[in-house]
Amino acid sequence: MTDLDAIFRNATLVSGERAHVGIAAGLIAAVIPATEPAPSAGEDIDLDGAMLVPGFVEGHIHLDTSFYGDAWKPHLPCTNGFDVRERVAFQMQNIASAAPMDQRARNQLDLCIAQGSTSMRSHVMIDADVGLGHLETILAVREEYAELIDIELVAFPQSGILASPGTAQLMDAAIALGCDLVGGLDPASFDRDIEGHLDAVFSIAERRGVGVDIHLHDGGSLGLFTIEQIAARTRRLGLGGRVAISHAYGLGDIAPEQQRRIATNLAEAGVAIMTNAPGAVNFPPVTILRQAGVTVFSGSDNIRDSWWPYGDGDMLRRANIIGYRSGFYEDWELASAFDVVTSAGAKALGLSGYGIAPGCRADFVTFRAQHVPEAVVAVPGGRSVYKSGRLVARDGKRVGVN
């Protein structure tokens, strides 16, 4: 074999196999068993058994509202338990005194890239007050970072749709401007009209030919009813594989037998579930959902913003958190947590050419671990991150494109 730009020798793959991975023109050109000689290449890198895994998929984040790298913003508690409207009001207060949005978005992107994310889905606020201003800023940043990370954008109605007149039209315009998906927010508790909210969301999706990703914080029977309505719409419109529900806390509020019933419904409809396993609430049952065939993916969600002060942009640590909160102890369970932030995330985002195989994009991360279960438990540092076969980060720092 000739004309390889680089060869990564003696890599440990997710399967546990040792291999040499050859790169050419930004793609994986060959995966050769380590028992065979490694071909020559322009660059020769001996991994000496280190893991080489597909780039992490940051499936849910908010690039426009993070304060990472900005002055510390003390967390303001809600006055009477968690309230989305009050949190949105706090967010707008903080944004008014924050650093420029493009600067904050770059800070957050650099963080995520340095931890190993090569693909991302970010929700961007669209409402009658901010109009398309947030989106225009984030679109420019996305273009600036195009060689470093792939970014999908969701038109996110942070202030509701029906509660914020004109937002539906702005969301439609956002898709025309460059957003990839249409979002939603708590159709029942925020807009107090499940069918009206979903009419607006799915009509845009159907007309524009885009996917859907709806924030759903509502728990209990209200949340479950909304989930089933979203599944029904997805099935009726033939949007299976293009619809996601983010958070879906209500799935964590019910008994396992009911979880299994709804999981079967979601799998048949082709609705994915995003969970970041937040510490203060019940969250979807990852194993029950996956066993039913539901695509479960994850994201950092908020990073040091008005919703909580936590977050480090590390999807491997997110796998660790999911495993810890889910009570994952066996190797197969730890491997499933890893899949949530890699291959399952790629499926949820509809990424093509994802993986470590000939013809796939050369987007990968290397680090020291014996195998996937140890990586999830230990969350090793010292990572090198490659995008299209080019080094973009090392040891927690973005280094640009070589």
Side-chain angles (χ1 to χ4, degrees):
M1 182 174 297
T2 59
D3 299 325
L4 289 178
D5 297 323
I7 186 76
F8 291 79
R9 293 188 291 112
N10 301 312
T12 299
L13 306 182
V14 169
S15 64
E17 300 171 289
R18 287 284 187 94
H20 310 306
V21 179
I23 310 300
L27 300 176
I28 295 175
V31 179
I32 304 162
T35 52
E36 299 181 13
S40 59
E43 185 177 11
D44 190 305
I45 301 163
D46 187 356
L47 293 180
D48 189 28
M51 294 206 73
L52 185 151
V53 305
F56 302 134
V57 179
E58 169 55 82
H60 186 113
I61 203 166
H62 295 263
L63 288 173
D64 56 332
T65 56
S66 169
F67 303 119
Y68 180 78
D70 195 4
W72 179 262
K73 301 288 190 295
H75 182 78
L76 298 173
C78 291
T79 55
N80 188 28
F82 177 77
D83 181 88
V84 173
R85 293 177 186 274
E86 192 170 19
R87 294 248 61 88
V88 172
F90 292 155
Q91 177 173 274
M92 297 312 293
Q93 292 172 23
N94 284 331
I95 287 176
S97 62
M101 186 182 299
D102 59 343
Q103 177 182 321
R104 292 184 284 107
R106 291 187 194 96
N107 290 342
Q108 193 170 193
L109 282 168
D110 288 347
L111 175 71
C112 294
I113 293 166
Q115 304 286 28
S117 287
T118 56
S119 300
M120 170 182 288
R121 175 179 289 177
S122 175
H123 297 251
V124 182
M125 187 192 308
I126 307 289
D127 67 18
D129 290 328
V130 305
L132 299 175
H134 284 212
L135 175 59
E136 290 166 347
T137 297
I138 299 303
L139 282 170
V141 174
R142 176 170 73 172
E143 180 65 24
E144 181 182 337
Y145 275 70
E147 293 187 353
L148 300 170
I149 187 168
D150 297 316
I151 304 173
E152 290 183 357
L153 298 178
V154 184
F156 174 46
Q158 178 72 87
S159 300
I161 299 176
L162 307 181
S164 178
T167 295
Q169 292 76 16
L170 285 167
M171 291 168 66
D172 186 73
I175 300 299
L177 194 61
C179 262
D180 306 283
L181 299 96
V182 59
L185 172 68
D186 297 335
S189 64
F190 205 102
D191 269 348
R192 299 187 178 278
D193 184 345
I194 294 176
E195 299 309 319
H197 188 102
L198 295 182
D199 281 346
V201 171
F202 279 91
S203 66
I204 296 171
E206 187 177 21
R207 183 169 62 257
R208 293 290 186 177
V210 297
V212 172
D213 192 330
I214 298 177
H215 280 64
L216 183 60
H217 305 96
D218 294 337
S221 59
L222 185 61
L224 297 175
F225 180 75
T226 306
I227 288 169
E228 293 189 321
Q229 291 301 96
I230 293 170
R233 297 246 182 177
T234 302
R235 186 182 290 107
R236 187 163 65 247
L237 295 174
L239 288 174
R242 303 185 69 188
V243 175
I245 302 174
S246 289
H247 304 309
Y249 295 149
L251 289 174
D253 294 336
I254 55 178
E257 59 269 22
Q258 193 175 5
Q259 290 174 335
R260 282 188 281 271
R261 179 184 66 78
I262 296 178
T264 298
N265 184 12
L266 290 168
E268 291 175 350
V271 176
I273 296 293
M274 192 296 302
T275 183
N276 62 323
V281 296
N282 292 330
F283 66 100
V286 175
T287 296
I288 287 176
L289 290 168
R290 283 173 56 89
Q291 288 177 340
V294 178
T295 299
V296 181
F297 66 114
S298 190
S300 298
D301 193 11
N302 310 103
I303 295 180
R304 300 191 194 179
D305 67 357
S306 302
W307 297 73
W308 56 52
Y310 296 101
D312 62 2
D314 188 345
M315 292 308 297
L316 187 54
R317 189 178 306 280
R318 186 60 51 185
N320 177 286
I321 291 169
I322 290 169
Y324 182 85
R325 289 219 63 208
S326 299
F328 288 174
Y329 305 123
E330 297 181 50
D331 281 4
W332 70 269
E333 294 174 308
L334 297 171
S336 73
F338 185 84
D339 187 73
V340 164
V341 304
T342 51
S343 296
K347 183 178 180 181
L349 270 61
L351 301 181
S352 60
Y354 180 89
I356 306 301
C360 290
R361 295 177 299 168
D363 299 350
F364 53 86
V365 187
T366 67
F367 52 78
R368 287 284 166 190
Q370 297 179 72
H371 41 57
V372 164
E374 184 188 43
V376 172
V377 170
V379 192
R383 302 172 204 171
S384 294
V385 185
Y386 292 84
K387 180 68 178 168
S388 299
R390 295 170 294 184
L391 181 71
V392 295
R394 173 169 285 162
D395 296 330
K397 300 289 185 182
R398 185 169 76 79
V399 299
V401 176
N402 289 344

